[in-house]
Amino acid sequence: MNWLSQVVAVTGVTLRSIPQRLGSATVAVIGIAGVVIVFTAVLSIAEGFRAAMMGTGDPQTVIVLRAGSDTEMTSGFSDEHVKLISEAPGIEQGPNGPHASPELFVIVGHPLKRSGTDANVPLRGVSVGALQVRPGLKIVEGRMFQPGTNEIIVGRAASRQFAGLSVGTSVRWGEGSWQVVGIFDTGGSVAESEIWSDAKVLQPAYRRGNSYQSVYLRLDSPDSLQKLKDALTIDPRLNVTVIREPDYYQQQSRVLQSIIRTIGFAIAALMGLGAVFGAVNTMYSAVASRTREIATLRALGFGRSPVVVSVLIESLVLSLVGGAIGGLLAWAAFDGYQTATMNWQSFSQVAFAFAVTPALLMRGLIYAAVMGLVGGLLPAIRAARLPVVTALREL
Amino acid sequence: MKYLPLVWRNLMRRKIRTIFTILSILIAFVLFGALMAIRAAFSLGVEVAGADRLMMIHKVSIIQLLPKSYSERIRATEGVTDLSHANWFGAYYQDPNTGFFANMAVDPESWLRMYPEYVVPDDQKKTWLANRSGAIIGIDTARKFKWKVGDRIPLISPIYRKPDGTPWEFTVDGIYDSPLKGADKTQFFFHWEYLNETFRNSGYFNGQVGWYVFRVADPATSDVLAKRIDVMFANSPAETKTATEKAFVSDFAKQIGDIGAIMMAIAAIVMFFILFVAGNAMSQSIRERTNELGVLKTLGFGDGQVLSLVLLESCVIAIVGGGLGLLIAWVIVAQGDPTNGMLPSFIFPVRDLVVGMALVLALGLGTGLLPAFQASRLKIVDALRRTG
């Protein structure tokens, strides 16, 4: 018999004997499943957050900020600056002039639904061009606000996470009262966490005079960025940073993502170690309970390496079953779970949904396989080294 | 005690199993410790927030400023014994990725009075109070950036840009430490007047303050007092929101999300799975020796003795694994914040340590109890007949 058919034969025997050791096999499967649940769950938070931040990416939309500002929150432009920026080349033109929206980005203390306590809710003051620079935005309920009034529209995620923000209600922030007249959808991106009002109405409410914080522009083609950048940097009256929308939001999510990933990977690594130790025990006892069987196979002329491979495959199969169960449970329990957190970089709330993606499930399975192989290695070697004669004598 | 050698022998019978069981328990408790530290860190020091301190911010949002003129009216309010204020400066050192630390412009004298938990040597304090461009920094930040007293530190604040575009320059006049466990020792405080003399009557700042903090004579009446003060400023251009420092910190922590609950859930899952696997191995090793226990009984060991012998064995495993695990967790947490400044109070709370120890004991007793009970109830004849 050649090596391969030996492996197939021994592995067949091994796998068919699993039902006799159902108890300890189940323990191993459960251990691995637990690790994969936690691994998948924690990383689905990072994944969902990333999806919300990156979903904002339209490479044809650019954001202009004051040079040196890495968030809209700390940027600022006067009226004249805004005019200069909107007149730059490379911007898409419509019947009413360039597609540009000078905006204000502030926060407002408004209660979270889940706790009833105030959170920093992002409030954006936009201009008439806001819808042209964001072609992906749809009003899904109600209507757009009337410019010049105290009307607001609310992102779909914001209306889900924050209290009392449905069409027809009105909210009080400080001295001013605002009417919710519409809900908008941007396909789950970060903009859905925001509340929008007319920038001109927001300026006096936040004592911003005639100033804005950022200018959103729609490029006439995705390649016009350089043309626009050159024109704006050459202008001695301006001192700006120009950045594509997806790049901006990627930057904005950096800190939080790295925190979640650091914590997530550390937890998963430690848990994995724990599960490997558990798997080692399981496989050792599997080998121990099959001592005579393995010795018989060896006496019949099967080589050492097919025995090693068969034990490894058993361990692999058990861990993959565990990984699949864990991944499915995590998917069932967490995928799409809606929540909101504070994005430390913009100091405001971002709503997002946990995302258990196929790639993440795949990583969970790979991780399970690694745990299984590592856990099975020592016991496999032990199995191969069993002295045939004494082992046959064992009860 | 005299049975310890017997327990030891039993444990050493299958060395590998014992070692791996201990190791997986160890890992479970390292994780427990780490998760509890993360949970405590995300509660942002709510445990150390002063119960007798109230905070007051702009009602609409924390980014809006309050008039300086409010200080006189607050100070004059009955029940307020001391008052200070601060502005969030949001600056970074060199570039935004060098690591986060909170920096704020404060009223120096009253600030140190308000936070007696920040301890500065007297001579350093004196220098700082006299030096308008001086700063007091937390010992953790001093260590992280290797700053010493006397160093000149340039900081760049995207919120408060100097009109000429250059970085702000501060002299480190003092370094504060704190005897209070969990206190934030990363902050950077400098004179509000320094900001004011650069920006007087201009721009966003305009001589205003970010938030007020004041001490109350009787913490029991905090809520009533907070309401009274908010009413005082109602219908003014800058309405206010006042609450205890604890409430602010805990609301802020809630904004991040229920990290506490998530960490507890993970800890529970982890503990359940790892301990399930470990506990199973422990019970199995006892079941395998049923006929040996029969031999012990034949030799005259009573039911109680067999019971305690088995329990002792499982407790030894749990205590060795769990104890070492908690110890390692303690050492890891003592290394400090793993996120480069985002979680300043990274500690292993004593309460959680006690809970951990209780869990260790529960594990030892829990995994040993069923097999121990079965073993003690064994009839000698049956036990001897069993082959394991």
Side-chain angles (χ1 to χ4, degrees):
Chain A
M1 253 198 297
N2 64 23
W3 187 80
L4 198 64
S5 53
Q6 280 200 11
V7 169
V8 172
V10 180
T11 307
V13 172
T14 307
L15 293 183
R16 265 183 303 236
S17 72
I18 289 180
Q20 292 160 21
R21 294 169 280 119
L22 210 52
S24 68
T26 313
V27 171
V29 168
I30 290 176
I32 302 276
V35 175
V36 174
I37 289 176
V38 172
F39 174 83
T40 313
V42 174
L43 291 185
S44 75
I45 303 176
E47 204 59 37
F49 183 68
R50 198 181 66 92
M53 295 300 271
M54 300 305 286
T56 320
D58 186 337
Q60 213 172 327
T61 299
V62 296
I63 301 173
V64 184
L65 300 173
R66 179 164 65 178
S69 292
D70 52 358
T71 80
E72 291 181 84
M73 192 75 100
T74 58
S75 170
F77 290 121
S78 70
D79 228 6
E80 300 87 76
H81 289 153
V82 169
K83 203 164 287 159
L84 289 171
I85 293 167
S86 333
E87 285 164 359
I91 303 171
E92 194 175 70
Q93 298 293 322
N96 306 318
H99 287 167
S101 170
E103 304 189 345
L104 281 176
F105 183 81
V106 297
I107 57 179
V108 62
H110 188 85
L112 282 166
K113 260 186 199 165
R114 67 162 181 261
S115 64
T117 56
D118 273 5
N120 296 343
V121 176
L123 175 57
R124 185 182 289 279
V126 301
S127 309
V128 278
L131 296 181
Q132 279 127 30
V133 300
R134 296 180 183 81
L137 184 139
K138 287 187 297 286
I139 306 271
V140 289
E141 204 188 320
R143 55 174 174 83
M144 183 65 181
F145 61 75
Q146 282 290 328
T149 64
N150 269 16
E151 292 177 346
I152 51 176
I153 58 172
V154 176
R156 196 207 277 274
S159 81
R160 219 164 14 212
Q161 294 294 331
F162 312 123
L165 292 177
S166 44
V167 174
T169 58
S170 77
V171 285
R172 269 197 86 78
W173 295 319
E175 35 196 326
S177 159
W178 305 76
Q179 278 75 44
V180 182
V181 296
I183 304 282
F184 65 89
D185 182 303
T186 57
S189 81
V190 62
E192 274 186 31
S193 312
E194 298 173 350
I195 299 173
W196 284 14
S197 76
D198 184 358
K200 288 271 178 238
V201 179
L202 200 57
Q203 278 170 340
Y206 275 70
R207 295 189 178 72
R208 295 296 166 97
N210 266 332
S211 72
Y212 295 91
Q213 277 161 289
S214 58
V215 184
Y216 279 65
L217 301 171
R218 183 84 184 155
L219 297 175
D220 51 17
S221 92
D223 312 319
S224 311
L225 179 66
Q226 202 51 47
K227 191 162 56 169
L228 175 74
K229 230 180 202 169
D230 291 344
L232 292 178
T233 30
I234 284 169
D235 195 327
R237 294 164 294 182
L238 291 172
N239 187 17
V240 301
T241 313
V242 185
I243 184 168
R244 283 190 206 270
E245 206 182 14
D247 300 338
Y248 174 73
Y249 283 101
Q250 187 180 359
Q251 266 179 27
Q252 292 292 294
S253 61
R254 212 186 43 232
V255 170
L256 193 70
Q257 278 218 62
S258 85
I259 291 180
I260 301 175
R261 277 173 203 273
T262 310
I263 293 176
F265 278 122
I267 292 174
L270 269 175
M271 274 199 79
L273 209 55
V276 165
F277 294 152
V280 170
N281 265 345
T282 308
M283 293 313 294
Y284 264 126
S285 65
V287 170
S289 69
R290 292 175 54 228
T291 302
R292 250 199 328 167
E293 194 182 307
I294 293 170
T296 312
L297 288 170
R298 298 269 290 111
L300 288 174
F302 285 90
R304 283 177 202 276
S305 59
V307 171
V308 171
V309 173
S310 76
V311 174
L312 282 179
I313 289 180
E314 177 187 352
S315 172
L316 190 65
V317 166
L318 292 181
S319 63
L320 283 177
V321 171
I325 294 176
L328 281 179
L329 285 177
W331 175 77
F334 299 109
D335 190 46
Y337 179 77
Q338 300 281 343
T339 188
T341 189
M342 167 87 112
N343 184 11
W344 302 28
Q345 280 167 293
S346 64
F347 200 56
S348 59
Q349 293 283 311
V350 173
F352 64 98
F354 286 25
V356 179
T357 58
L360 195 53
L361 289 174
M362 204 58 226
R363 270 154 75 187
L365 274 184
I366 293 173
Y367 190 40
V370 170
M371 288 188 287
L373 287 180
V374 173
L377 198 58
L378 286 177
I381 293 171
R382 148 84 67 94
R385 287 212 182 133
L386 282 175
V388 178
V389 182
T390 44
L392 275 175
R393 225 178 266 141
E394 243 181 57
L395 277 169
Chain B
M1 272 304 118
K2 64 179 173 184
Y3 296 127
L4 270 181
L6 183 57
V7 170
W8 177 252
R9 285 287 165 150
N10 277 332
L11 288 174
M12 284 299 110
R13 255 163 77 103
R14 286 190 188 263
K15 267 196 213 97
I16 296 176
R17 174 155 65 198
T18 306
I19 289 170
F20 279 105
T21 307
I22 288 179
L23 281 177
S24 43
I25 294 173
L26 182 147
I27 294 289
F29 280 93
V30 170
L31 262 171
F32 170 81
L35 291 169
M36 292 305 111
I38 293 171
R39 183 170 82 120
F42 272 102
S43 74
L44 308 171
V46 70
E47 277 93 1
V48 299
D52 61 346
R53 286 193 291 254
L54 290 187
M55 276 177 72
M56 181 170 108
I57 64 169
H58 193 290
K59 188 173 179 185
V60 175
S61 82
I62 191 155
I63 61 168
Q64 277 147 296
L65 304 180
L66 293 168
K68 183 80 166 57
S69 59
Y70 284 9
S71 45
E72 288 318 310
R73 293 175 66 188
I74 302 167
R75 220 190 301 269
T77 308
E78 200 191 320
V80 175
T81 59
D82 201 357
L83 173 81
S84 192
H85 60 77
N87 287 57
W88 184 256
F89 193 55
Y92 54 84
Y93 176 59
Q94 288 173 339
D95 88 275
N97 302 322
T98 48
F100 173 85
F101 59 97
N103 42 83
M104 37 200 135
V106 303
D107 179 54
E109 207 159 357
S110 60
W111 191 260
L112 290 180
R113 266 203 320 269
M114 193 62 68
Y115 292 93
E117 58 263 44
Y118 301 148
V119 181
V120 193
D122 273 338
D123 53 325
Q124 295 182 359
K125 180 174 159 187
K126 208 182 263 169
T127 324
W128 184 45
L129 294 182
N131 177 13
R132 193 165 281 193
S133 65
I136 292 274
I137 61 176
I139 190 160
D140 288 350
T141 292
R143 278 198 194 121
K144 179 161 146 191
F145 293 103
K146 304 197 170 56
W147 291 340
K148 302 178 303 296
V149 171
D151 282 359
R152 302 277 295 167
I153 309 296
L155 292 187
I156 300 153
S157 166
I159 307 176
Y160 298 102
R161 293 158 193 260
K162 263 171 67 172
D164 58 2
T166 56
W168 296 79
E169 286 250 349
F170 300 95
T171 315
V172 177
D173 283 335
I175 293 174
Y176 77 82
D177 198 349
S178 178
L180 192 64
K181 200 169 146 73
D184 182 353
K185 291 181 279 192
T186 65
Q187 301 173 89
F188 182 112
F189 304 123
F190 66 94
H191 291 239
W192 181 86
E193 269 304 327
Y194 185 33
L195 201 56
N196 192 30
E197 77 184 7
T198 316
F199 272 121
R200 201 186 301 274
N201 304 327
S202 72
Y204 167 67
F205 175 70
N206 202 15
Q208 300 177 90
V209 305
W211 68 91
Y212 287 98
V213 48
F214 41 94
R215 190 181 301 287
V216 295
D218 178 10
T221 61
S222 292
D223 291 341
V224 184
L225 184 64
K227 215 160 271 157
R228 205 163 72 222
I229 289 180
D230 284 342
V231 168
M232 194 159 85
F233 296 115
N235 301 317
S236 72
E239 294 191 43
T240 60
K241 178 178 143 188
T242 309
T244 60
E245 192 174 275
K246 235 184 184 56
F248 267 104
V249 175
S250 104
D251 283 7
F252 196 78
K254 279 185 193 131
Q255 288 209 47
I256 297 171
D258 217 342
I259 302 287
I262 294 174
M263 290 300 138
M264 286 301 278
I266 295 179
I269 296 177
V270 173
M271 299 293 279
F272 174 77
F273 281 108
I274 298 187
L275 299 183
F276 172 79
V277 172
N280 194 65
M282 285 154 76
S283 316
Q284 196 192 358
S285 88
I286 290 163
R287 277 198 306 272
E288 277 176 13
R289 297 201 312 263
T290 306
N291 57 348
E292 273 184 41
L293 295 172
V295 172
L296 285 180
K297 285 191 156 183
T298 319
L299 292 175
F301 279 74
D303 287 355
Q305 274 171 311
V306 171
L307 181 91
S308 45
L309 204 58
V310 172
L311 272 183
L312 194 60
E313 188 181 322
S314 62
C315 284
V316 166
I317 291 191
I319 289 169
V320 172
L324 278 177
L326 289 175
L327 189 72
I328 293 174
W330 181 276
V331 171
I332 292 175
V333 172
Q335 306 300 311
D337 175 18
T339 59
N340 199 13
M342 305 309 286
L343 301 172
S345 63
F346 201 69
I347 52 160
F348 193 170
V350 176
R351 188 194 57 211
D352 292 328
L353 187 63
V354 173
V355 171
M357 289 174 179
L359 280 175
V360 169
L361 274 184
L363 170 71
L365 294 174
T367 49
L369 209 55
L370 187 66
F373 190 64
Q374 283 170 344
S376 72
R377 294 278 300 273
L378 269 179
K379 288 211 182 79
I380 295 177
V381 196
D382 295 339
L384 288 177
R385 210 180 277 146
R386 290 254 291 263
T387 53

